[in-house]
Amino acid sequence: MVKLEGKVKKFVFEAKDSPYKVLLIESNKKEVIAFGNFFTVAEGEEYLFYGEFIKHAKYGEQFKVNKYERNIKSETGLITFLSGPKFVGVGKNSATKIVKKLGLDAINLINQDPDILDTIEGLKKSQKEIIVEEIKTINQEDKIYLELYNYGLTPKASLKLYDKYGPNTINKIKDNPYCLIYEVDGFGFKKADSLALTLGFKEDSPIRIREAILYILINSCYKDGNIYLLYNDFLKEINQYLGIDINKIEEQINELATNNRLKLLNERVYPNNLYNAEFKVSEYLKRIIKAKPNNLYQENKILSIINKIEEKNKFAYTQLQKETLLKVLNNKVSIITGGPGTGKTTIVKGIINIYQELNKKRNDDILLLAPTGRAAKRLKESTKLGAYTIHRGLGYDYEGNFNYNELNYLPYNLIIIDEASMIDIELAMHLLEAVNVFSQVVFIGDENQLPSVGPGDFLHDLISSSMIPTYRLKEVMRQVSDSNIIKLSNMVLNRKIDSKIFNEKKEVFYYQCDKTNVLLKLKKILDNYIEKGNDFNNLQILIPIYSGVGGIDEVNQYVQSNYNLIKDPFLKHKDLTFYPHDKVLELQNTPEKDIMNGDVGYVVDIFNDSLGINFNGKIVRLEKNDLDNLTLAYALSVHKSQGSEYDFVIFLVLSSYSIMLKRKLIYTAITRAKKKLIILGDLNLLQNKIKYDEKTRNTSLGEFLVRSKEVSPYDFL
């Protein structure tokens, strides 16, 4: 290990959420760039750095610091330290006097007996106070960080804790390390539990059992989309995880229920937030339905406007479409569901046009929403009106709050929400909370698509409750009735694929392969696609899993390596390297930059360790610290593709995906394609997977909708 002695001239770079820094160091009259995790370094002070010199491909020779310490092992270093920026008003002359009088052990001597500074000739009282206080603070920080390291915490985690709790850090975590789950970002149960066991907490301590119960309950519900778990199944899961006596577990479950930290009801165990979300959604919907409508429109008036629309646009609505329009316009809340090509977009445009004519209203009386940016963009393009993500429409801000809520209703009389199957129960709660009782609400969606990524089965529950008028569009429109993509999607719903459809060489194609040759087969298809002058804007590869052979991660790396030929400039971040023109995906809501989880963009430039990315026509700059939630998007999961359509879709189906392949996922993947679909993999596996019913999610929304109000959701907060 190389030792480097030098003074910190300046900070070249400081990470926002970690101790990582890049420093410019002056060592032996030469300037050196050093990087690593630093907590207490200060400009102008001297340190001993231990590490190694490395050669960076872009920035040249740098010094990688593994550890460091203040240079107080020499008179010069100690004088520099005591006259540095932390000791304001001390100055070099006074620092020199201290070192000459007390020697190299000056820091320890002052720490042990602050009055020793009285022996320094000419030292002012104010200077003494500054020196004593600063040495105390520095020693305290050093001891805290050292102790946190000894507990196995990383520099980044240690910095978060000290920033949060300061001098009280050690006492705080020794008292209750599980509080970190709720008070410090990035500390989940497993990290807090590991720390607790290191600190000597017993495996069967009540506080550990309680936090494990909440962790397993919440984690399981969010992983599988459930609102609740069945009590006995839940008990077994906790017992398997903790390996302790079931009676102790049941005792703590009851304790948590008594203290309103979870909800027990009818042999079900609910996380409080999910129980309350479902209950509130049911109450908000009932509130809207029961309110008197602003207008009841006469049937002959609506039919007259329909005739005008048909004459103007030279087309005719089907009888089912006319009936749907008549009823929806006089309902407070409605659902319109149907597969691809059944005319959902036609109905939406009809509702808007008729509503405007009936009310002589301008466009600003109507709000169009969708769960994702891509879905909102499609809605905007089809209706020629403004359309927004649900988050943006509700005024979601960077602190996680919604501007429109129960105290500030949305100022629209007609609200239409597309792709409603994608809405999870918590987003549904925020949406319906903000709807005025005098508004009309129309949900549009395909009930056969995947449910939301988050908990709940919102659209399915609304439909199955029979409390919300639902109109099913079953007839495929004439202009798309010969689409093999639509025919194949209906075969999936009917649980039997006629393989002859692939022999027609029209829109849908199948190529057999397995994990040994999937990448070669994929390359042949992509080579042919690119040779015809196409690009990745209109093509999407869909894969059910992320890891392993033929997974999303591997395919993204493979496609990037073979088809993005611009390799300079580049920006490396963790396991990924980004280049200009890369297709990328945002994995987190970032309202301050106006991008949301699921947004797809393209890298347009790389500058000073940052990426300029085009998201839906808007250039957003992401610094290196923002890249944790950015990944490549040549291949996407089927869930992430929902709400989007692509001219050309390649859907990979390998045996290693078997556990993820369900009928709704297969149907959703197929219906993302507008013009051409290629299935690459094992057709027999696909045939087999569509035969079986999928496990339904544990939800209560339907029950809450059909029963009278018995209790308040606020009873369980």
Side-chain angles (χ1 to χ4, degrees):
M1 187 178 292
V2 178
K3 181 174 79 171
L4 188 69
E5 184 177 345
K7 180 194 288 186
V8 177
K9 291 192 69 176
K10 70 173 182 177
F11 294 171
V12 177
F13 171 79
E14 287 186 86
K16 296 176 184 175
D17 59 351
S18 82
Y20 179 83
K21 296 177 180 67
V22 179
L23 311 176
L24 178 64
I25 296 169
E26 184 180 7
S27 177
N28 294 325
K29 299 183 179 179
K30 292 182 180 179
E31 291 186 343
V32 177
I33 293 292
F35 66 94
N37 290 311
F38 304 97
F39 290 96
T40 54
V41 293
E43 291 181 355
E45 292 186 6
E46 293 199 12
Y47 297 86
L48 297 173
F49 301 98
Y50 301 89
E52 59 183 329
F53 283 99
I54 64 167
K55 190 81 171 179
H56 191 282
K58 185 175 180 181
Y59 299 111
E61 189 174 68
Q62 297 182 334
F63 191 72
K64 181 181 179 182
V65 178
N66 296 322
K67 66 176 184 176
Y68 70 98
E69 60 187 85
R70 287 185 181 82
N71 186 9
I72 53 176
K73 297 183 178 181
S74 69
E75 282 194 3
T76 302
L78 187 51
I79 290 168
T80 302
F81 172 62
L82 289 171
S83 59
K86 291 191 175 183
F87 298 89
V88 179
V90 175
K92 196 165 185 178
N93 287 336
S94 296
T96 302
K97 288 180 182 179
I98 294 170
V99 175
K100 292 296 183 184
K101 179 75 173 179
L102 303 180
L104 294 180
D105 201 31
I107 301 298
N108 289 331
L109 292 172
I110 295 168
N111 199 43
Q112 292 168 10
D113 180 15
D115 290 337
I116 200 171
L117 288 173
D118 292 338
T119 65
I120 309 301
E121 186 179 342
L123 194 65
K124 298 177 183 176
K125 182 181 178 183
S126 60
Q127 290 175 313
K128 175 185 172 181
E129 290 173 350
I130 289 168
I131 292 168
V132 170
E133 189 61 35
E134 191 57 41
I135 287 176
K136 181 181 176 182
T137 300
I138 291 170
N139 285 338
Q140 187 179 57
E141 286 183 10
D142 288 345
K143 285 179 181 177
I144 288 172
Y145 283 125
L146 181 61
E147 192 161 351
L148 293 175
Y149 294 158
N150 289 335
Y151 296 153
L153 292 172
T154 64
K156 183 175 180 179
S158 301
L159 182 65
K160 280 187 177 181
L161 291 182
Y162 192 82
D163 282 348
K164 178 74 176 178
Y165 302 120
N168 197 37
T169 299
I170 302 301
N171 291 335
K172 183 76 175 179
I173 64 174
K174 281 184 175 180
D175 181 52
N176 178 13
Y178 295 101
C179 72
L180 306 181
I181 299 170
Y182 310 101
E183 296 179 5
V184 183
D185 288 342
F187 273 83
F189 170 78
K190 288 187 176 180
K191 191 180 287 188
D193 190 46
S194 175
L195 178 58
L197 295 174
T198 300
L199 290 168
F201 279 70
K202 293 182 179 180
E203 291 189 352
D204 63 349
S205 65
I207 188 171
R208 180 173 188 255
I209 297 172
R210 287 196 297 272
E211 295 303 335
I213 288 167
L214 292 173
Y215 164 72
I216 292 168
L217 176 61
I218 293 168
N219 190 60
S220 183
C221 284
Y222 278 83
K223 178 171 66 74
D224 297 326
N226 293 314
I227 299 297
Y228 64 82
L229 300 181
L230 295 173
Y231 184 85
N232 288 332
D233 294 340
F234 180 49
L235 203 58
K236 290 176 185 175
E237 191 174 351
I238 302 167
N239 177 250
Q240 187 175 8
Y241 185 88
L242 292 177
I244 62 175
D245 184 73
I246 282 183
N247 291 327
K248 291 184 177 181
I249 296 171
E250 288 194 284
E251 182 182 338
Q252 296 308 320
I253 290 175
N254 291 325
E255 176 76 12
L256 288 167
T258 300
N259 291 309
N260 292 327
R261 296 188 68 193
L262 58 75
K263 171 69 178 166
L264 284 177
L265 182 69
N266 300 330
E267 295 301 309
R268 299 171 180 177
V269 189
Y270 297 80
N272 266 355
N273 63 313
L274 297 183
Y275 178 87
N276 291 331
E278 274 202 329
F279 203 108
K280 287 180 180 180
V281 164
S282 69
E283 295 304 311
Y284 293 145
L285 282 167
K286 290 176 190 176
R287 179 189 69 182
I288 299 166
I289 293 168
K290 289 176 183 177
K292 292 182 179 180
N294 284 338
N295 293 296
L296 285 174
Y297 306 114
Q298 295 179 355
E299 183 175 313
N300 60 352
K301 220 170 187 180
I302 296 174
L303 288 173
S304 174
I305 296 171
I306 288 174
N307 290 334
K308 288 180 183 178
I309 293 172
E310 288 178 324
E311 289 175 12
K312 180 181 178 181
N313 296 292
K314 295 183 171 53
F315 82 98
Y317 291 107
T318 66
Q319 187 58 36
L320 178 58
Q321 287 176 327
K322 287 182 180 179
E323 291 173 4
T324 300
L325 289 169
L326 283 167
K327 292 173 181 175
V328 167
L329 285 158
N330 276 315
N331 289 338
K332 291 302 302 297
V333 184
S334 305
I335 297 170
I336 299 170
T337 183
T342 55
K344 295 192 296 294
T345 300
T346 301
I347 288 290
V348 170
K349 290 193 286 188
I351 293 169
I352 293 169
N353 292 336
I354 297 168
Y355 178 87
Q356 289 173 324
E357 185 67 25
L358 286 167
N359 294 283
K360 304 301 178 185
K361 294 283 186 180
R362 298 174 302 172
N363 294 341
D364 57 9
D365 192 45
I366 302 170
L367 178 63
L368 304 181
L369 299 173
T372 68
R374 301 268 301 202
K377 185 179 179 183
R378 286 198 296 115
L379 188 59
K380 179 180 179 179
E381 289 169 350
S382 64
T383 61
K384 310 303 180 190
L385 293 180
Y388 310 93
T389 64
I390 296 174
H391 281 87
R392 187 174 179 189
L394 294 177
Y396 183 71
D397 64 29
Y398 63 91
E399 293 180 343
N401 301 312
F402 293 89
N403 181 47
Y404 290 105
N405 50 49
E406 210 166 15
L407 302 175
N408 183 31
Y409 291 127
L410 289 162
Y412 304 95
N413 286 325
L414 176 61
I415 302 172
I416 299 175
I417 304 101
D418 198 8
E419 297 289 355
S421 65
M422 297 177 65
I423 302 174
D424 64 58
I425 195 63
E426 291 179 292
L427 184 56
M429 177 190 71
H430 289 297
L431 171 63
L432 291 167
E433 176 186 51
V435 175
N436 195 308
V437 293
F438 300 113
S439 300
Q440 284 182 275
V441 182
V442 183
F443 293 104
I444 315 290
D446 185 343
E447 60 184 316
N448 294 307
Q449 283 190 30
L450 285 166
S452 58
V453 175
D457 204 349
F458 177 66
L459 183 64
H460 171 268
D461 288 348
L462 294 191
I463 293 171
S464 62
S465 75
S466 300
M467 291 292 290
I468 312 296
T470 301
Y471 307 98
R472 288 184 170 86
L473 305 176
K474 298 179 179 179
E475 184 181 351
V476 177
M477 297 296 95
R478 187 174 59 218
Q479 61 269 31
V480 292
S481 59
D482 64 342
S483 165
N484 275 4
I485 293 172
I486 293 175
K487 288 177 183 176
L488 180 61
S489 68
N490 287 325
M491 289 179 186
V492 170
L493 295 180
N494 293 323
R495 308 182 188 218
K496 187 174 182 181
I497 296 175
D498 183 352
S499 59
K500 292 178 182 177
I501 195 170
F502 300 113
N503 298 327
E504 296 178 16
K505 303 299 180 186
K506 175 191 169 188
E507 293 178 339
V508 297
F509 303 82
Y510 164 68
Y511 299 102
Q512 193 278 330
C513 69
D514 57 32
K515 64 181 182 180
T516 65
N517 62 350
V518 62
L519 294 179
L520 291 176
K521 290 269 188 173
L522 177 63
K523 189 173 188 305
K524 286 183 179 180
I525 294 168
L526 293 176
D527 284 347
N528 183 56
Y529 175 80
I530 298 296
E531 283 171 8
K532 292 180 179 178
N534 299 307
D535 58 33
F536 285 92
N537 288 343
N538 297 312
L539 175 143
Q540 189 59 59
I541 303 166
L542 299 181
I543 303 174
I545 66 171
Y546 280 89
S547 59
V549 177
I552 292 168
D553 295 335
E554 182 187 63
V555 171
N556 268 323
Q557 296 278 5
Y558 183 81
V559 174
Q560 182 196 52
S561 175
N562 283 276
Y563 296 97
N564 189 352
L565 303 180
I566 301 175
K567 302 301 184 186
D568 189 54
F570 65 88
L571 179 56
K572 188 171 179 60
H573 183 70
K574 295 186 177 179
D575 296 331
L576 291 175
T577 303
F578 298 100
Y579 304 100
H581 304 320
D582 267 334
K583 188 175 186 179
V584 294
L585 171 73
E586 175 66 21
L587 298 171
Q588 178 176 288
N589 289 337
T590 314
E592 64 269 27
K593 293 184 181 291
D594 198 23
I595 50 175
M596 293 290 165
N597 183 356
D599 281 353
V600 172
Y602 296 87
V603 177
V604 293
D605 71 73
I606 300 176
F607 179 72
N608 280 355
D609 279 352
S610 70
L611 298 180
I613 303 175
N614 185 339
F615 285 107
N616 298 317
K618 180 180 180 180
I619 307 300
V620 176
R621 183 151 299 280
L622 297 182
E623 303 298 331
K624 196 160 188 177
N625 292 333
D626 302 320
L627 302 185
D628 285 351
N629 297 303
L630 194 75
T631 189
L632 296 173
Y634 300 103
L636 292 178
S637 70
V638 180
H639 281 90
K640 289 295 185 186
S641 74
Q642 203 171 353
S644 301
E645 288 182 340
Y646 314 93
D647 288 346
F648 191 161
V649 167
I650 302 173
F651 180 35
L652 272 60
V653 183
L654 301 179
S655 58
S656 55
Y657 308 160
S658 182
I659 195 170
M660 291 295 295
L661 287 170
K662 312 289 184 185
R663 187 168 60 251
K664 284 192 173 184
L665 182 140
I666 294 165
Y667 172 85
T668 303
I670 289 170
T671 55
R672 297 311 90 205
K674 291 195 293 184
K675 296 180 179 178
K676 183 180 285 189
L677 168 73
I678 291 179
I679 296 176
L680 194 57
D682 186 342
L683 186 59
N684 290 330
L685 175 66
L686 206 64
Q687 291 270 26
N688 185 52
K689 287 295 182 177
I690 63 175
K691 293 177 183 177
Y692 301 103
D693 288 324
E694 298 171 55
K695 184 180 178 182
T696 57
R697 293 181 169 186
N698 297 336
T699 64
S700 311
L701 179 57
E703 299 171 27
F704 290 159
L705 281 168
V706 299
R707 78 182 191 188
S708 60
K709 184 173 182 179
E710 298 170 357
V711 290
S712 165
Y714 301 101
D715 292 342
F716 309 105
L717 291 174

